[in-house]
Amino acid sequence: MKINLKNGIDKLVFGMKQSDVTALYGQPNSNYNDEDDNVIFAYNAQKMRLTFYKDEDFKLGYIVASSQDLELFGIKIMDKNINDVQSDMAKNGIAKFTQEAFDTFENYFNEANWIIFQTEFDEVVKFEIGAIINDMDEFEWKFKK
């Protein structure tokens, strides 16, 4: 599954509605509301959790994924050592990361692309990508019907 920076993952594009997503992937394996009343879809086969923001008319705005098939710049990222991933990203123009540690996990966040590589024991175990927020503090929705 290809990660499309600033746009989404695979066929998912930020700004899609729930009906757009179910047309592509069918009904989610689970569907619930988080503490902010955002709608969350979970797809087991794709190993993805999708967030549709309540305050944004329930548009797809955030994806958390852990599929072994995830690729960024044609490079598989899951279970790779974070140093190797950072080196691969630097070769593709993404060099600035903010690092945050908690328990045995570390997050490597790149704000320009709104991506997070989450590691445990120095290996990437989860990838997160969010819709871009512009200088006017508005989401840049990429999905056009």
Side-chain angles (χ1 to χ4, degrees), residues 35-143:
E35 64 277 356
D36 296 321
D37 279 331
N38 299 315
V39 172
I40 310 297
F41 278 11
Y43 286 95
N44 295 349
Q46 291 81 9
K47 294 188 177 183
M48 288 194 296
R49 184 176 72 225
L50 316 178
T51 302
F52 299 88
Y53 291 130
K54 176 185 176 187
D55 293 342
E56 296 292 329
D57 197 28
F58 293 101
K59 291 180 181 176
L60 174 63
Y62 205 79
I63 304 169
V64 178
S66 59
S67 171
Q68 295 296 313
D69 296 330
L70 283 174
E71 290 185 3
L72 184 54
F73 304 116
I75 302 161
K76 295 215 178 200
I77 59 168
M78 297 309 294
D79 296 332
K80 279 186 76 173
N81 183 284
I82 189 60
N83 294 323
D84 295 337
V85 171
Q86 284 184 297
S87 176
D88 291 337
M89 295 304 105
K91 291 174 189 169
N92 287 282
I94 301 174
K96 186 177 178 186
F97 288 92
T98 304
Q99 192 174 342
E100 178 185 36
F102 52 99
D103 298 327
T104 59
F105 295 95
E106 288 189 81
N107 283 348
Y108 294 81
F109 174 62
N110 173 264
E111 186 174 7
N113 294 287
W114 213 264
I115 57 173
I116 296 173
F117 295 96
Q118 186 176 89
T119 65
E120 185 172 35
F121 308 114
D122 287 334
E123 290 184 351
V124 177
V125 295
K126 194 183 299 180
F127 177 80
E128 302 182 25
I129 184 170
I132 298 297
I133 298 172
N134 64 27
D135 293 338
M136 294 168 31
D137 208 26
E138 298 171 339
F139 283 98
E140 292 183 4
W141 300 119
K142 302 297 184 176
F143 184 68

